[in-house]
Every structure is written in structure tokens, then in C-alpha cells.
């Protein structure tokens, strides 16, 4: 199961990296098109879609590698037992919040698909397409938070940016 989850988080990171390249390609295409006097509709919108997708798809991997910003001022002032309890509490709150965000992200993409909602820019992209990447990234992040909560309840140390998981 651990290998499967790590592969899943890694896949999200790879897709996020591909979307980052998509941002670059979209922006460069827009710049080159303007310089040549051409009009490529939607390059700005696609750069935004790719940027949002990159951020959401990379959330789980970034979290599992200990790269998210953690405010440890209070945690470091506590002894180990209260520190662990506060950490578990914070993860539980994160699970609840990410579950809500995941639910509404999936609902938003489904509603956009159901109502044939399209972008208001000149590219007229069906909005469910970029919204699926947000919902998928939120789902991966939810799974990563649940995974980390279970690991912490079992007594495992929190991830750090210096260590990779087994």
C-alpha cells in the first residue's frame, strides 16, 4: 500500500510538472503570437488553467515530502506528548477541511459538466476540463492528509524536507 500511495503522490507531482511546462508553453505562444501579429485565442486562459492544475496536483507530493510551510512556534515549545496531540489535532482538522474542499471541487466540476458551462474568454473552453485537475489535486491532497494522520496515530514522525518516505 505504501508503494502505491507514494507512486500516486509522485504521479500528481509529475502531472503538476507537466502543467508547469504547459504554463510556459502557453505564455510563450502568446508572446510569440503577439510579436508576429497573430491571434491565438485563449493563451492567457490556458496559462491560468495550467497554473491552477500545477498547484493542486503537486499538493500531495509536496506535503508528503515535508515541503509545506509549518508554523512550529507552538509545537516546538511543547513537550513531546502534547506536541504529538496538537500535531494529530491539526492533521484531523486538515482532513476535515480538505474533505470539504475535495467534495465541493468535485461538485463544481460535475455541475460545470452538467450545465455545459464554458469559459467567458474567447477560447470558450468547457470549464469542467480545468476544474477536473483541481478536483483531482484536492482528492490527492485529502488522501495524503488521511495517510499522514494514520501514520502519525501509529507513532511515525512527521515528514521533513530532508527525508523521503520509505
Amino acid at each position: 500500500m505504501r508503494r502505491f500511495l507514494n507512486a500516486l503522490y509522485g504521479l500528481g507531482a509529475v502531472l503538476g510538472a507537466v502543467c508547469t511546462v504547459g504554463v510556459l508553453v502557453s505564455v510563450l505562444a502568446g508572446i510569440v503570437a503577439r510579436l508576429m501579429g497573430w491571434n491565438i485565442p485563449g493563451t492567457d486562459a490556458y496559462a491560468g488553467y495550467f497554473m491552477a492544475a500545477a498547484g493542486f496536483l503537486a499538493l500531495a507530493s509536496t506535503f508528503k515530502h515535508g515541503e509545506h510551510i509549518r508554523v512550529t512556534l507552538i509545537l516546538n515549545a511543547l513537550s513531546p506528548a502534547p506536541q504529538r496531540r496538537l500535531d494529530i489535532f491539526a492533521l484531523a482538522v486538515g482532513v476535515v477541511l480538505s474533505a470539504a474542499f475535495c467534495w465541493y471541487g468535485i461538485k463544481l466540476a460535475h455541475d460545470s459538466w452538467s450545465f455545459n458551462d464554458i469559459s467567458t474568454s474567447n477560447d470558450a473552453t468547457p470549464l469542467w476540463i480545468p476544474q477536473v485537475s483541481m478536483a483531482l489535486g484536492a482528492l490527492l491532497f485529502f488522501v495524503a492528509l488521511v495517510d499522514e494522520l494514520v501514520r502519525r496515530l501509529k507513532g511515525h514522525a512527521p515528514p521533513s524536507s530532508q527525508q523521503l518516505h520509505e
Side-chain angles (χ1 to χ4, degrees), residues 55-128:
F56 277 97
L57 290 169
L59 276 174
S61 177
T62 305
F63 174 71
K64 291 302 283 185
H65 284 92
E67 296 292 337
H68 280 208
I69 296 172
R70 289 175 48 113
V71 180
T72 58
L73 184 64
I74 296 172
L75 279 175
N76 289 341
L78 298 173
S79 61
Q83 186 180 52
R84 182 174 182 273
R85 283 193 294 269
L86 182 59
D87 202 23
I88 288 171
F89 174 75
L91 280 168
V93 169
V95 166
V96 170
L97 292 174
S98 69
F101 192 75
C102 183
W103 170 261
Y104 286 107
I106 292 169
K107 184 177 179 343
L108 176 67
H110 181 266
D111 288 349
S112 292
W113 176 74
S114 296
F115 300 127
N116 284 328
D117 200 8
I118 60 169
S119 168
T120 56
S121 64
N122 59 357
D123 64 308
T125 301
L127 286 178
W128 68 267

Side-chain angles (χ1 to χ4, degrees), residues 20-66:
T20 301
V21 172
V23 173
L24 173 69
V25 170
S26 297
V27 169
L28 286 178
I31 291 170
V32 169
R34 283 185 205 104
L35 290 174
M36 303 297 277
W38 303 332
N39 179 29
I40 302 176
T43 54
D44 294 339
Y46 283 109
Y49 300 153
F50 281 126
M51 188 178 302
F56 277 97
L57 290 169
L59 276 174
S61 177
T62 305
F63 174 71
K64 291 302 283 185
H65 284 92

